[in-house]
Amino acid sequence: MKERNNGAVLDAREIRKRFTEGKQTVDVLHGVDLSLHRGEIVALEGPSGSGKTTLLSILGCILTPTSGDITIEGDLVDIARPASLPAVRKRSIGFVFQQFNLFPALTALENVEYALNIKGIKGREATEEATRVLDDVGLGERASFLPRDLSGGQKQRVAIARALAGRSPILLADEPTANLDSQMGRQILDLFRDLAVKEDRALLIVTHDPKVRAICDRVIEIQDGRLAA
Amino acid sequence: MPDLALKTLVHDKLRFFITVSGVAFAVTLGFVQVGLFMGLMDNATVTIRKMDADIWVTSRNTPNIDFAHAFPESYVQRVRAVPGVADADNLIVWFMNMNLPSGAQEGVEVYALEDFSKWNIPWNVSEGNLDDLRRGNFVFLDDSGIRRFGPFQLGEYREILGRKLRIIGRTQEAESFTTTPMVFMDYELAQALNPDELQNRTTYMVVRLLPGADMDAVKAEIAHLLPYNDIYTRDAWAAQSKRYWVESTGLGLNMYLTVFLGCLVGIVVVAQTLYSSTMEHLREFGTVKAIGGSNADIYSILIKQASIAAVVGFILGAAMAYAMRPAIASINLKLIITPELAVAVFIGSIVMCLASALVSFRKVASIDPALVFRG
């Protein structure tokens, strides 16, 4: 469904989220508006419990909001139909997780290839694309390594390569440097920024890390489910 | 496409070994239980199947070939006169006791005919000439008796019901359902050994039809002439003998119960290992969902893993069952593994493993992909 197109690749309006457990209800997000543009790098900061992971999950179409609209690449996401969300994730979103979340039984190349297969890219095309992004993150030499044989920084590079593969316009990263030492964290951030800008992707990074601010075009703060003015 | 199912399955080698062992255990149990059962059933009907007789006449309500009752031998004259009958002879099947050199006694199952060669029994003669049985106090012994009677040689004597009989031949594979070895002797000799019950009496008549004869018409005519006997075709008599052992002794129930328990153990082991594997890989399955995979993608992984476990477990289980055959044969038991049984066990293994995988499906369906954001 075509909705609005203000140039943003991702546009979220009036996002609210209420969790109910038994008789208790908790309002986590209170009408959040957020836009991401191609080539833009945005940091989302906030204290624990402020709602940033919930917002990230909603923007990534993993979680449905209680109310509000999300538009991705000009198409309104049908949040009333959760079964439609995997297709949106396949097409438009790449994730980088704090815990890397690589498949331990697959090599670096296969981890990226598998994600491409899920996105519908298969065979030689998938292998070539996986090889390309692994080369981009500097891991071409270690494509045949299992995750257990890679360092933390190398694992996160594989995770970044997996997110970049398939040319999803939106990259969402959850604390990508939290499990890395400061030097490795800096390298990963520089790499991530360079690749996102080079490939004209929109990148949203949820972080506590002050170093992240330095590479971002914008910093958004969230507190008690509301974006700071 | 990277084979996530296979690679994840074999990545944890210990778990894979346990899963496959569970399947292999159930498969081996299935093969051995059913194979032994089929071996016993084979014994129960081996003489019926091997004998060149189209029709069997028994005394009324004889339950199976081993538990015979006597009736007048003169009835055979009536049967020989029936149109369509080529040959009809009396056959005695009777349990007797044999005295062993050690002083102990063992039971034997005597098969007595006037002309063994004519009826293709015994069918596997390793030493001796069957025609010599007519000439006196002679017997053929089956090799299956060695474990009970000890080794024997041609020319030695054994005493049956007080009469010394010379061993003049050796047979193989002639063993009854009860694993009692068979002894072959002349028809009149068997009657002479037990005159109280067998004088002028027989326990069966075996009948061979002329080519093109109408089986039903011949059976009907014999039934008309011998109203106090039962008349069976070969297949019907074999089925009746099997049915007796399966239904009257609880043997069938025992087999089904053991196979069921084997499958149950297999399902529990496979389901448990697959489920714990699923629990251990929840984050990875969550990742599959997060990057756009559906429940169906994960179900296909579980189904593939279950199928691989079934195939590998089947191969191992079948190999173990085959490896056990010589040991089982050494105690005079037959383990029969037919292609039909192998196919049935293979299908059973697949079904068992897929049923086990279903336990994990609910868990997979409830995986929240947002768990990938949790530390």
Side-chain angles (χ1 to χ4, degrees):
Chain A
M1 190 186 331
K2 286 283 176 192
E3 184 65 3
R4 56 179 174 258
N5 191 348
N6 58 3
V9 69
L10 185 152
D11 191 28
R13 290 278 173 258
E14 274 299 302
I15 300 297
R16 295 176 189 277
K17 183 64 183 178
R18 170 176 288 176
F19 288 106
T20 304
E21 196 166 318
K23 290 180 179 173
Q24 272 202 321
T25 58
V26 180
D27 289 311
V28 178
L29 298 174
H30 306 271
V32 172
D33 293 335
L34 193 151
S35 295
L36 287 176
H37 294 78
R38 282 185 178 273
E40 184 183 36
I41 302 177
V42 177
L44 180 62
E45 292 183 348
S48 292
S50 58
K52 56 185 187 300
T53 299
T54 302
L55 179 59
L56 186 72
S57 300
I58 289 172
L59 296 178
C61 296
I62 281 177
L63 197 61
T64 52
T66 307
S67 66
D69 289 339
I70 300 172
T71 307
I72 291 178
E73 296 186 280
D75 290 335
L76 187 64
V77 175
D78 189 356
I79 56 171
R81 204 163 57 86
S84 68
L85 300 184
V88 179
R89 295 199 293 271
K90 267 188 210 182
R91 190 177 60 241
S92 304
I93 301 169
F95 290 98
V96 177
F97 309 105
Q98 180 181 344
Q99 300 289 334
F100 320 133
N101 293 342
L102 300 178
F103 302 111
L106 300 185
T107 65
L109 182 71
E110 288 170 337
N111 261 281
V112 180
E113 253 189 296
Y114 185 77
L116 286 164
N117 294 158
I118 291 285
K119 290 174 186 292
I121 302 166
K122 301 194 174 172
R124 180 184 289 182
E125 188 185 354
T127 308
E128 286 173 358
E129 170 71 352
T131 305
R132 179 188 73 79
V133 289
L134 280 175
D135 283 338
D136 284 349
V137 299
L139 277 183
E141 299 287 308
R142 293 177 183 260
S144 60
F145 282 42
L146 289 172
R148 67 172 177 227
D149 299 321
L150 299 172
S151 68
Q154 288 168 336
K155 284 180 196 167
Q156 195 59 297
R157 285 171 190 240
V158 177
I160 290 170
R162 182 172 66 183
L164 291 168
R167 302 184 189 278
S168 304
I170 302 162
L171 303 177
L172 303 179
D174 180 38
E175 307 268 11
T177 58
N179 282 327
L180 305 175
D181 61 45
S182 80
Q183 190 184 350
M184 183 57 66
R186 181 76 213 184
Q187 284 179 16
I188 290 290
L189 285 174
D190 287 343
L191 173 75
F192 212 175
R193 181 197 57 203
D194 292 347
L195 291 172
V197 171
K198 181 179 124 190
E199 300 196 353
D200 203 25
R201 320 281 185 104
L203 172 59
L204 177 70
I205 305 176
V206 169
T207 184
H208 280 110
D209 186 350
K211 290 191 300 293
V212 174
R213 282 175 168 261
I215 68 153
C216 292
D217 303 310
R218 272 196 294 152
V219 176
I220 299 171
E221 289 189 29
I222 184 168
Q223 197 140 22
D224 297 330
R226 293 183 175 85
L227 298 189
Chain B
M1 179 169 186
D3 197 336
L4 184 61
L6 174 64
K7 295 200 169 186
T8 302
L9 188 65
V10 300
H11 187 67
D12 185 343
K13 292 179 177 57
L14 179 62
R15 190 192 299 281
F16 180 59
F17 174 75
I18 292 170
T19 307
V20 166
S21 297
V23 183
F25 170 77
V27 167
T28 305
L29 205 60
F31 270 127
V32 170
Q33 276 300 116
V34 180
L36 282 176
F37 178 77
M38 289 170 72
L40 287 173
M41 288 299 106
D42 189 72
N43 282 353
T45 59
V46 67
T47 47
I48 301 171
R49 288 181 291 105
K50 295 287 184 182
M51 249 182 126
D52 190 13
D54 300 312
I55 290 175
W56 287 67
V57 179
T58 75
S59 61
R60 176 57 55 90
N61 294 327
T62 299
N64 68 74
I65 189 166
D66 298 313
F67 297 168
H69 307 299
F71 60 89
E73 65 180 2
S74 59
Y75 289 1
V76 75
Q77 303 302 340
R78 300 187 209 175
V79 175
R80 284 173 181 156
V82 172
V85 170
D87 272 311
D89 275 344
N90 287 317
L91 163 70
I92 289 174
V93 178
W94 205 257
F95 284 99
M96 296 184 186
N97 279 340
M98 174 187 276
N99 292 341
L100 303 181
S102 65
Q105 283 193 334
E106 275 281 1
V108 292
E109 187 165 20
V110 169
Y111 272 71
L113 271 169
E114 286 180 356
D115 185 349
F116 283 95
S117 301
K118 187 163 89 179
W119 297 98
N120 187 41
I121 186 172
W123 56 96
N124 192 347
V125 176
S126 53
E127 282 185 274
N129 184 344
L130 282 171
D131 293 338
D132 293 340
L133 282 173
R134 295 185 193 177
R135 298 191 181 124
N137 294 330
F138 302 134
V139 291
F140 271 50
L141 277 187
D142 191 77
D143 276 346
S144 62
I146 290 175
R147 285 188 75 245
R148 295 190 183 193
F149 309 150
F152 59 86
Q153 301 294 327
L154 266 57
E156 290 180 354
Y157 288 85
R158 292 289 185 276
E159 206 173 275
I160 294 180
L161 295 181
R163 187 179 296 198
K164 279 179 72 178
L165 305 174
R166 189 172 166 204
I167 303 169
I168 61 163
R170 181 189 289 273
T171 65
Q172 291 179 329
E173 300 175 5
E175 193 176 20
S176 73
F177 173 84
T178 58
T179 70
T180 304
M182 289 179 196
V183 169
F184 300 91
M185 66 175 64
D186 181 63
Y187 179 76
E188 289 183 5
L189 175 58
Q191 288 180 318
L193 289 174
N194 191 355
D196 290 347
E197 293 179 281
L198 296 176
Q199 189 65 53
N200 297 325
R201 296 167 76 79
T202 186
T203 58
Y204 297 104
M205 276 184 278
V206 284
V207 180
R208 187 184 298 129
L209 301 186
L210 288 167
D214 183 340
M215 171 78 79
D216 291 337
V218 173
K219 267 182 67 187
E221 181 59 19
I222 295 173
H224 174 70
L225 294 171
L226 303 174
Y228 299 108
N229 290 73
D230 289 331
I231 324 295
Y232 294 97
T233 62
R234 180 189 354 225
D235 291 345
W237 179 226
Q240 161 68 20
S241 286
K242 276 187 189 175
R243 193 162 48 244
Y244 172 82
W245 293 114
V246 172
E247 292 177 0
S248 304
T249 64
L251 187 74
L253 179 66
N254 179 287
M255 183 204 65
Y256 289 124
L257 201 61
T258 312
V259 170
F260 171 74
L261 288 175
C263 290
L264 197 63
V265 170
I267 284 177
V268 168
V269 171
V270 176
Q272 202 277 332
T273 50
L274 280 180
Y275 186 75
S276 65
S277 172
T278 303
M279 293 300 290
E280 205 166 272
H281 294 104
L282 278 185
R283 180 172 281 274
E284 289 155 49
F285 291 139
T287 304
V288 172
K289 283 192 178 182
I291 62 179
S294 61
N295 280 339
D297 289 319
I298 304 174
Y299 293 158
S300 72
I301 291 171
L302 293 175
I303 287 171
K304 189 164 185 180
Q305 288 180 335
S307 302
I308 293 167
V311 171
V312 177
F314 172 82
I315 292 168
L316 282 181
M320 282 195 284
Y322 270 98
M324 289 166 72
R325 287 175 83 177
I328 289 171
S330 73
I331 53 172
N332 282 352
L333 288 173
K334 268 189 258 181
L335 183 64
I336 296 178
I337 299 177
T338 60
E340 293 82 3
L341 175 61
V343 169
V345 173
F346 179 72
I347 292 171
S349 311
I350 296 279
V351 170
M352 181 181 79
C353 289
L354 293 181
S356 304
L358 290 177
V359 177
S360 300
F361 275 24
R362 274 187 64 189
K363 189 70 202 171
V364 165
S366 68
I367 290 175
D368 177 5
L371 72 84
V372 292
F373 292 123
R374 290 171 204 145

